[in-house]
Amino acid sequence: MGLLEDCEAAFGSPDLYQVLGVRRQASPAEIRRGYHRASLRVHPDRADPQDKEEATRRFQILGKAYAVLSDAEQRAVYDEQGTVDEEGEALRGERDWQEYWRLLFKKITVKDIEDFERSYKDSEEELADIKAAYMDFEGDMDRIMESVLCVDYTDEPRIREILEKAIEAGEVPPYKAFVKESKQKVTARKRRAEKEAKEAEKAKDELGLGGEDDLKALIQSRTQDRKKEMDDFLAQLEAKYGSNAKKGGKKPAAKKGKK
């Protein structure tokens, strides 16, 4: 079978964008982030022994999907014709997809996270990301707060002020979900975030965290859902900033409801 048939068999869709969980208009950074998120969930190193073969197959398919969409020329052909070049360099069978993945996504440390947070907050990049999330989710603050890097519930007043100014300036539309959000929804979001932040702090204290391996220890100490959520957060950081730049974000104990 070809790549599109493989995608449909493994992920229920022949659409490469759907397989990576990104919009058709996604930027290269968003595609990279989507690939990392999707591949973390099926990475063979994370699979149980009896599931490793299937995980490897799905992991390889994801790598091929990303290889197509990360190549400007191949992506253009796919967008225009709905086909991929099965004989092209990106899809050659001899490629080691796990090594390819490791080259794209190197490990990050707690220090990387803290360094990045300091440089990212209140930057032009953060401002652009906030506006993009607002547009993508049509003003839904639950989803905005979950998607923007390095924010927790204490940042919400700051995020709201940024968006209110953008609305006043005509830079973004006044979505009803934002301007008419109920007090009950705001309160529920805050309570949920506070509860999860306390749980993360408790886990951190119980583990006696204090070194660069702490992030791994904290992930391993949580339930499977918690692990997936932390992986998603790290995937955003690693995919967004790649292997040639400092990577980072929020310390897990301070992360909003995602953690």
Side-chain angles (χ1 to χ4, degrees), residues 127 131 135 162 165-173:
L127 179 62
K131 292 178 183 177
M135 295 296 293
I162 289 171
K165 288 181 178 179
I167 292 171
E168 291 176 6
E171 297 170 353
V172 296

Side-chain angles (χ1 to χ4, degrees), residues 103-220:
L103 289 173
L104 283 173
F105 307 116
K106 296 182 179 179
K107 294 294 184 182
I108 67 172
T109 68
V110 171
K111 185 177 184 300
D112 290 330
I113 292 175
E114 294 171 343
D115 289 346
F116 172 73
E117 181 185 3
R118 283 191 290 271
S119 66
Y120 179 75
K121 278 201 168 183
D122 296 316
S123 67
E124 288 298 319
E125 185 174 14
E126 185 199 41
L127 179 62
D129 286 348
I130 290 169
K131 292 178 183 177
Y134 176 83
M135 295 296 293
D136 285 346
F137 303 125
E138 298 185 349
D140 185 333
M141 280 297 287
D142 282 350
R143 300 184 71 185
I144 292 169
M145 293 298 292
E146 288 174 356
S147 68
V148 177
L149 297 176
C150 303
V151 302
D152 61 26
Y153 71 95
T154 64
D155 289 292
E156 182 165 336
R158 182 175 66 88
I159 302 301
R160 279 192 167 278
E161 183 178 359
I162 289 171
L163 292 172
E164 287 167 356
K165 288 181 178 179
I167 292 171
E168 291 176 6
E171 297 170 353
V172 296
Y175 286 122
K176 183 178 179 180
F178 178 79
V179 298
K180 300 290 187 181
E181 185 178 40
S182 69
K183 291 183 179 180
Q184 292 89 337
K185 187 176 180 184
V186 174
T187 300
R189 180 167 57 249
K190 181 179 179 181
R191 287 176 177 171
R192 183 169 61 249
E194 288 175 335
K195 178 183 177 183
E196 296 192 357
K198 287 178 181 177
E199 290 174 354
E201 280 289 352
K202 182 179 179 181
K204 179 180 176 182
D205 292 340
E206 289 174 351
L207 288 167
L209 302 181
E212 287 193 349
D213 290 333
D214 293 347
L215 198 58
K216 181 178 179 181
L218 184 56
I219 294 172
Q220 291 175 338

Side-chain angles (χ1 to χ4, degrees), residues 16-40:
L16 300 185
Y17 293 98
Q18 288 188 27
V19 168
L20 296 186
V22 298
R23 303 171 299 140
R24 186 164 287 270
Q25 298 78 20
S27 68
E30 289 171 329
I31 290 173
R32 182 187 177 96
R33 188 158 62 243
Y35 168 52
H36 197 188
R37 264 200 307 265
S39 60
L40 276 172

